[in-house]
């Protein structure tokens, strides 16, 4: 007999339901499970509280059961979309949580940069792959990225979500899209005033200007199958957490 | 031999490509063909320049060919999503335009309140049915609405888009959704400061507050398969036309 212990999942925060603020599922009521820890450190990270070890004391190691109970409580026991985000949620053991939720009709979307592949990606309903452009100061390992696409085995809907700060990022986004012509593309203007430790104040005018620039760039370039969407939660609530 | 004359299409404006600001196709580059004339007169209409006969002198009767040439020019000959809006575009003869565009790979979405059904609805790619809630001071003829759904014959993707100003509108939206449980639902907070003749100034804070109220209402009500989306073009450009 083998005894399988629940290894525990490192959680930064669980909140919702609120609407998904970005990408393919924008506007959809969602409960967020944000895991702690990341193998990346993007220069403009907007979730440092779930990435930087300085915030480690805020994270909790929770069992699948404990997370499931909290999600269930927040949703009032009613099936809802659950977004697994981070940090990089792919470095946590989330397969059992997905299986548990599916049994009760919940759906799961996972957001990751595509640096770590997991077998259980194939159990997701939506896999959002968000490779990080040059402005992040990270380098994309396209072999690891491809492993993520393969791990999904055409089962979840896969989409590309690309943050764009400038022309260089835009070129990177076009390249990423060209590598995966079968995947829908969502472009998102970057927030150059992300939450702490850089400060709490959002430059809304600046974000809106970047959004306008991105719309103009995409339409002038006649990239007519890319979608351009802002981060709705930032427009609504600035850098506030838990909404 | 029968000679079929092109009856002409009454056009208020053709513009784009810009992104679709609302509903299912939000964020997608789109060329808009806004027709003139409407069988409704919603109290808060945000496109009166395409509805009210006082603006009739701004409308042009155009042939399918002429419209097609303009769309083609705007898109640089590259297939793009074309949104047929109004007014009520269903009262114009748009079948030939859709056929023409499809031959060259363009796609077509039509936005209508669902008061007038047309055979050519079945040729669309997306049919957005937007029945008007009580705050509009219009009354929905559900028999006419059902005829629109039937005319589409399950060929285009049909979605419901519902503008919500208050609790009463919200109740109406729930009722409409319950009538068509198979159709995806998009909820949109109303703009209580629509463009002229009421004035050009948009109350952005008021719109954002209504958006927040709607998100809270939907999530507390656990209506987890409805999407809540703002009018992005209003957030970006206020009441400006042609963007």
């Amino acid at each position: 007999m083998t005894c399988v212990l629940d290894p525990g999942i490192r959680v930064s925060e669980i909140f919702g339901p609120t609407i998904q603020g970005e990408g393919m599922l924008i506007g959809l009521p969602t409960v967020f499970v944000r895991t702690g820890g990341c193998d990346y450190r993007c220069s403009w990270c907007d979730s440092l509280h779930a990435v930087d070890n300085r915030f480690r004391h805020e994270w909790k190691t929770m069992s699948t059961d404990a997370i499931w109970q909290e999600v269930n409580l927040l949703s009032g026991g009613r099936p809802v979309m659950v977004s697994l985000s981070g940090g990089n949620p792919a470095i946590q053991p989330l397969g059992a949580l997905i299986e548990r939720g599916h049994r009760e009709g919940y759906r799961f979307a996972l957001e990751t940069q595509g640096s770590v592949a997991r077998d259980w990606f194939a159990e997701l309903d939506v896999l959002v792959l968000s490779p990080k452009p040059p402005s992040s100061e990270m380098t994309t390992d396209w072999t690891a990225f491809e492993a993520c696409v393969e791990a999904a085995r055409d089962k979840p809907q896969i989409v590309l979500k690309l943050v764009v700060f400038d022309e260089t990022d835009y070129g990177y986004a076009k390249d990423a899209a060209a590598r995966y012509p079968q995947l829908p593309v969502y472009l998102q203007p970057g927030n150059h005033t992300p939450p702490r430790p850089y400060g709490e104040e959002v430059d809304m005018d600046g974000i809106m200007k970047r959004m306008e620039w991105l719309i103009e760039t995409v339409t002038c370039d006649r990239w007519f199958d890319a979608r351009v969407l802002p981060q709705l939660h930032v427009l609504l609530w600035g850098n506030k957490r838990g909404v």
Side-chain angles (χ1 to χ4, degrees), chain A:
Chain A
M1 203 182 89
T2 331
C3 186
V4 182
L5 289 172
D6 186 331
I9 296 158
R10 217 159 45 187
V11 173
S12 161
E13 54 185 343
I14 301 178
F15 63 94
T18 183
I19 60 164
Q20 170 60 260
E22 49 189 71
M24 189 187 98
L25 300 171
I26 192 167
L28 189 70
T30 300
V31 168
F32 292 83
V33 176
R34 190 187 295 284
T35 62
C38 195
D39 46 321
Y40 270 31
R41 188 65 45 101
C42 299
S43 65
W44 36 251
C45 177
D46 64 358
S47 309
L48 266 183
H49 63 286
V51 167
D52 195 316
N53 274 326
R54 275 180 291 168
F55 300 98
R56 208 185 178 93
H57 62 278
E58 294 181 4
W59 306 344
K60 278 195 292 189
T61 298
M62 295 173 75
S63 66
T64 296
D65 268 357
I67 296 176
W68 176 246
Q69 273 170 37
E70 200 155 327
V71 169
N72 208 51
L73 190 72
L74 289 170
S75 73
R78 192 146 181 162
V80 69
M81 177 63 76
V82 179
S83 171
L84 305 168
S85 68
N88 184 3
I91 61 178
Q92 303 297 325
L94 293 166
L97 179 67
I98 297 166
E99 199 190 321
R100 176 71 177 267
H102 273 170
R103 284 207 300 271
E104 306 195 29
Y106 288 62
R107 293 191 298 152
F108 290 83
L110 180 125
E111 304 241 353
T112 179
Q113 61 266 49
S115 55
V116 176
R118 294 291 177 204
D119 283 351
W120 49 262
F121 283 1
E123 306 309 317
L124 291 162
D125 299 278
V126 178
L127 174 59
V128 181
L129 293 174
S130 189
K132 303 305 175 191
S135 63
S136 70
E137 295 167 24
M138 297 293 112
T139 306
T140 305
D141 175 346
W142 287 108
T143 308
F145 191 88
E146 173 60 21
C148 291
V149 173
E150 280 169 17
R153 287 187 287 130
D154 282 336
K155 287 164 105 192
Q157 161 87 61
I158 310 180
V159 297
L160 292 179
K161 189 175 72 180
L162 292 142
V163 172
V164 179
F165 275 84
D166 52 31
E167 292 284 354
T168 311
D169 286 357
Y170 184 75
Y172 171 91
K174 291 209 75 168
D175 173 59
R179 284 171 185 266
Y180 293 96
Q182 77 280 22
L183 301 183
V185 175
Y186 291 80
L187 303 177
Q188 177 176 301
N191 177 1
H192 54 289
T193 49
R196 57 177 185 163
Y198 304 118
E200 299 288 333
E201 210 52 54
V202 163
D203 174 16
M204 207 66 85
D205 285 349
I207 291 174
M208 290 309 249
K209 278 206 182 72
R210 180 169 293 126
M211 174 77 184
E212 286 187 55
W213 163 78
L214 187 54
I215 293 169
E216 205 176 294
T217 303
V218 167
T219 53
C220 290
D221 194 25
R222 294 180 183 145
W223 190 3
F224 292 153
D225 44 12
R227 296 245 205 155
V228 186
L229 289 174
Q231 292 183 295
L232 259 191
H233 51 287
V234 175
L235 302 191
L236 281 163
W237 298 296
N239 281 337
K240 201 174 153 196
R241 272 172 58 186
V243 283

